Amino acid sequence: KHIKLLEQIARGGDAVAEQHALNPLHLKEFLCNGEIRQWAGPSQEVLSPVCRMVNGKPERISIGSFPLLSKEEALLLLDAATTAYDRGRGEWPTASVEKRIACVADFVRKMKMVRDQVVKSLMWEIGKSLTDSEKEFDRTIQYIEDTIEALKDLDRVSSRLVIEEGILGQIRRSPFGVVLCMGPFNYPLNETFTTLIPAIIMGNTVVLKPAKHGVLLLHPLLAAFRDAFPPGVVNVLYGKGREIAGSLMAAGKVDVFAFIGSYGVANAMIKGHPRPNRLRTVLGLNAKNPAIVLEDADLDNAVSEIVLGSLSFNGQRCTALKIIFVHSSIAERFNELFCKAVSGLRCGVPWDKGVRITPLPEIDKSQSMQEFVQDAQTHGAKVINEGGGEFFGTFFYPAVIYPVTSTMRLYHEEQFGPVVPIVPFDSIDLPVSYIEESNFGQQVSIFGQNPDVIASLIDPLVNQVSRVTLNSQCQRGPDTFPFTGRKDSAEGTLSVSDALRAFSIRALVAAKNDATNKEIITAILRQRKSNFLSTDYIL
């Protein structure tokens, strides 16, 4: 039954409706110093997770290629960003907040015009459903617009002078310098832009290196970057990260490293910087977010939320619920309801209406998921949902594993895919100890109804993770809420307002409050001679 379903999905690329068809896009351009330059060197073929059947076997569809720039070109882009910043004297870092806001607003207007192209690329490049691809684009637009408003608020607060202990001063935020921005493949637009946009709008210049999957979607935005910002403010680097990113760090010119991905890659990159005390880091890393289902939980709600939390976009989210602790007294009933809910998830290609489970973009991801399942089975667990763990080509049918113990890889490692480990517990000490001993500390979801029990869990757990969610799945939003983590899960905070602070530093102009200094400052303010020392109020 399930193999036939998987074969049918693998044939999804054989006949595609006209509105969803994607013409192969072979990129030969990259953005450097305000110019879209041509590349005549080697390229990387882009293979979609969507397959077609060839000689009875699923074969990924080729949808284009992108330039594999060399270390020399990478350093050329870095030099462009460094020159544009010009040690803080460049046009962009010295521009007024109002001008930077106007440029970002111009960019977002241009970005809205290519929505359909970007959404289509998201579906074909990473297998994200049409609905979720549209949400990612629209949420990114909203994030940019919210960022503009947040900066206006921040600047209004900073527009006044203060006098303390006979010292007159104005405190504002100023940029750090050159930012290397590297985003993740699972949210190649949204999460990349949650670091890129605040970095730019605060006056930094940027080298943007897109993720290994989700490269083609940036092509429609190259002209928007070029036309909206001064030369060198945004430079887009294509290539293999392991071959070119290290050379950027080794050059010692990167002031901020903004990265969303694995902590192993982040640590290796940071070690490559020759002046680590100079380097600021904004990192979104691994997570192994648990759900704790207490014996008095509303099971219908818990199952509904945990299915979404563990399997939305095939579980390929840092905020996904990646291990489920269920009280032993309700485990049998929970498992029954959970497996029934999983069987009700629609599987298919990204443009199928109502699809929830789609092909996986990473090479050999199905095999790596099967290895998790086999390891758990070797150590005594079972696949408890019908068809769980079956795969065909790039499609892997979700596997629910029970009972998972500490002897299994799934207990410790982040699977980042459609495998759901369930752990029974008798004492609450087990899930609490798990969280305390984990290398990760992003979020936890608690499902229960007893205020006393929940309160007793909240107080210790907020000191282990950054967000405790009650009776619902873990998530990033709303974007006005802080998004961060403890331990190996994050460094820095990425809410709309926090991100502005993460990519800037408080700076001030100060002087003794005497007649001479008052006269100087008054002249500067009245004649608008400085963009920093200013009492202009942005409406």
Side-chain angles (χ1 to χ4, degrees):
K1 172 186 173 182
H2 286 89
I3 287 296
K4 288 183 178 179
L5 169 66
L6 305 191
E7 289 182 359
Q8 182 180 357
I9 293 169
R11 295 180 185 275
D14 287 344
V16 182
E18 183 178 351
Q19 69 267 33
H20 302 306
L22 181 72
N23 294 323
L25 177 61
H26 295 282
L27 301 186
K28 297 296 182 183
E29 305 88 12
F30 63 100
L31 180 63
C32 178
N33 200 32
E35 300 176 356
I36 296 180
R37 302 185 181 184
Q38 295 298 308
W39 171 250
S43 297
Q44 174 66 55
E45 185 180 21
V46 178
L47 298 175
S48 174
V50 177
C51 297
R52 61 165 58 99
M53 296 299 288
V54 178
N55 297 324
K57 295 182 180 180
E59 183 177 287
R60 288 173 175 256
I61 298 174
S62 178
I63 57 173
S65 60
F66 60 84
L68 288 176
L69 300 182
S70 68
K71 293 181 181 179
E72 288 72 22
E73 278 73 30
L75 293 174
L76 188 67
L77 269 71
L78 179 60
D79 286 342
T82 303
T83 300
Y85 190 72
D86 193 18
R87 298 182 179 180
R89 296 180 297 180
E91 176 187 354
W92 190 246
T94 59
S96 67
V97 172
E98 193 168 16
K99 179 179 178 180
R100 295 202 299 264
I101 286 174
C103 290
V104 173
D106 183 38
F107 170 77
V108 80
R109 283 192 294 270
K110 292 177 168 63
M111 181 176 171
K112 290 177 181 179
M113 298 172 65
V114 296
R115 180 180 187 269
D116 290 346
Q117 295 170 257
V118 175
V119 167
K120 190 176 291 187
S121 287
L122 281 166
M123 289 194 294
W124 280 94
E125 286 193 78
I126 65 171
K128 185 165 286 191
S129 72
L130 172 60
T131 298
D132 286 346
S133 296
E134 291 173 335
K135 286 180 180 177
E136 178 167 350
F137 186 93
D138 295 340
R139 183 181 179 185
T140 304
I141 293 293
Q142 187 63 55
Y143 184 92
I144 299 173
E145 292 175 342
D146 289 347
T147 297
I148 289 173
E149 293 305 314
L151 181 54
K152 288 180 180 179
D153 289 341
L154 182 62
D155 191 70
R156 289 167 189 148
V157 173
S158 305
S159 65
R160 57 188 291 268
L161 301 179
V162 296
I163 301 175
E164 295 286 346
E165 299 181 11
I167 302 294
L168 187 152
Q170 184 170 45
I171 304 169
R172 290 185 177 275
R173 301 199 72 88
S174 62
F176 283 116
V178 176
V179 178
L180 173 59
C181 178
M182 299 174 64
F185 83 84
N186 58 333
Y187 287 89
L189 183 72
N190 182 258
E191 291 210 351
T192 300
F193 276 47
T194 60
T195 59
L196 174 70
I197 295 300
I200 294 170
I201 205 169
M202 294 310 292
N204 302 281
T205 59
V206 175
V207 175
L208 169 60
K209 166 67 177 65
K212 57 184 178 181
H213 304 292
V215 179
L216 301 181
L217 64 87
L218 280 179
H219 179 68
L221 299 174
L222 292 187
F225 282 128
R226 178 197 62 193
D227 297 340
F229 300 106
V233 173
V234 181
N235 306 274
V236 180
L237 173 63
Y238 300 120
K240 294 182 178 179
R242 62 180 179 273
E243 296 179 5
I244 58 176
S247 61
L248 296 178
M249 296 296 279
K253 298 178 181 179
V254 173
D255 299 294
V256 183
F257 180 42
F259 176 79
I260 300 176
S262 74
Y263 68 89
V265 173
N267 291 343
M269 291 285 292
I270 293 167
K271 287 179 182 178
H273 199 288
R275 290 181 282 177
N277 291 332
R278 168 180 170 173
L279 182 68
R280 300 291 181 117
T281 54
V282 181
L283 309 174
L285 307 173
N286 305 72
K288 184 78 172 175
N289 295 334
I292 302 174
V293 185
L294 302 171
E295 55 186 325
D296 66 341
D298 178 337
L299 283 186
D300 289 336
N301 174 69
V303 166
S304 175
E305 288 290 329
I306 294 172
V307 166
L308 290 174
S310 60
L311 292 174
S312 290
F313 191 40
N314 307 308
Q316 299 169 123
R317 301 178 300 123
C318 65
T319 57
L321 292 170
K322 298 192 177 80
I323 187 166
I324 318 302
F325 290 89
V326 181
H327 195 277
S328 299
S329 65
I330 59 169
E332 183 177 352
R333 179 60 176 160
F334 176 88
N335 290 346
E336 177 186 350
L337 294 172
F338 192 83
C339 291
K340 181 180 179 180
V342 171
S343 68
L345 297 176
R346 182 169 184 183
C347 304
V349 287
W351 44 86
D352 286 345
K353 186 176 181 180
V355 70
R356 291 295 184 87
I357 307 298
T358 57
L360 303 172
E362 292 182 280
I363 303 297
D364 298 327
K365 186 69 172 184
S366 293
Q367 287 80 359
S368 67
M369 292 295 98
Q370 185 64 17
E371 289 170 6
F372 275 113
V373 173
Q374 291 171 345
D375 173 78
Q377 290 174 320
T378 299
H379 290 89
K382 295 181 180 180
V383 177
I384 62 173
N385 64 311
E386 183 182 1
E390 293 181 359
F391 65 96
F392 191 78
T394 58
F395 190 90
F396 185 93
Y397 193 79
V400 183
I401 312 297
Y402 180 87
V404 169
T405 68
S406 60
T407 61
M408 305 169 192
R409 289 177 58 200
L410 277 170
Y411 192 84
H412 306 282
E413 299 179 30
E414 181 185 19
Q415 65 272 37
F416 211 77
V419 178
V420 185
I422 299 178
V423 183
F425 71 91
D426 294 309
S427 169
I428 194 64
D429 291 341
L430 176 63
V432 171
S433 295
Y434 176 87
I435 295 169
E436 291 173 346
E437 295 167 7
S438 173
N439 290 327
F440 309 118
Q442 191 195 77
Q443 301 184 29
V444 61
S445 287
I446 301 172
F447 294 87
Q449 301 183 65
N450 188 318
D452 294 334
V453 174
I454 292 175
S456 70
L457 291 173
I458 289 174
D459 288 354
L461 292 183
V462 292
N463 296 326
Q464 291 293 325
V465 299
S466 69
R467 175 169 173 161
V468 176
T469 300
L470 306 182
N471 292 311
S472 63
Q473 62 173 307
C474 295
Q475 62 187 63
R476 173 172 179 146
D479 285 326
T480 52
F481 283 12
F483 179 60
T484 184
R486 296 173 179 266
K487 306 177 187 179
D488 287 333
S489 284
E491 187 171 328
T493 304
L494 288 176
S495 70
V496 170
S497 57
D498 286 318
L500 297 176
R501 293 173 172 84
F503 289 98
S504 63
I505 187 170
R506 296 178 84 195
L508 70 153
V509 174
K512 287 184 177 180
N513 189 20
D514 58 32
T516 300
N517 289 328
K518 284 182 179 179
E519 184 177 342
I520 293 171
I521 291 172
T522 299
I524 292 173
L525 294 175
R526 286 180 176 174
Q527 299 175 42
R528 290 184 168 85
K529 293 179 176 291
S530 169
N531 287 326
F532 185 94
L533 185 58
S534 170
T535 54
D536 286 351
Y537 194 87
I538 301 175
L539 296 175

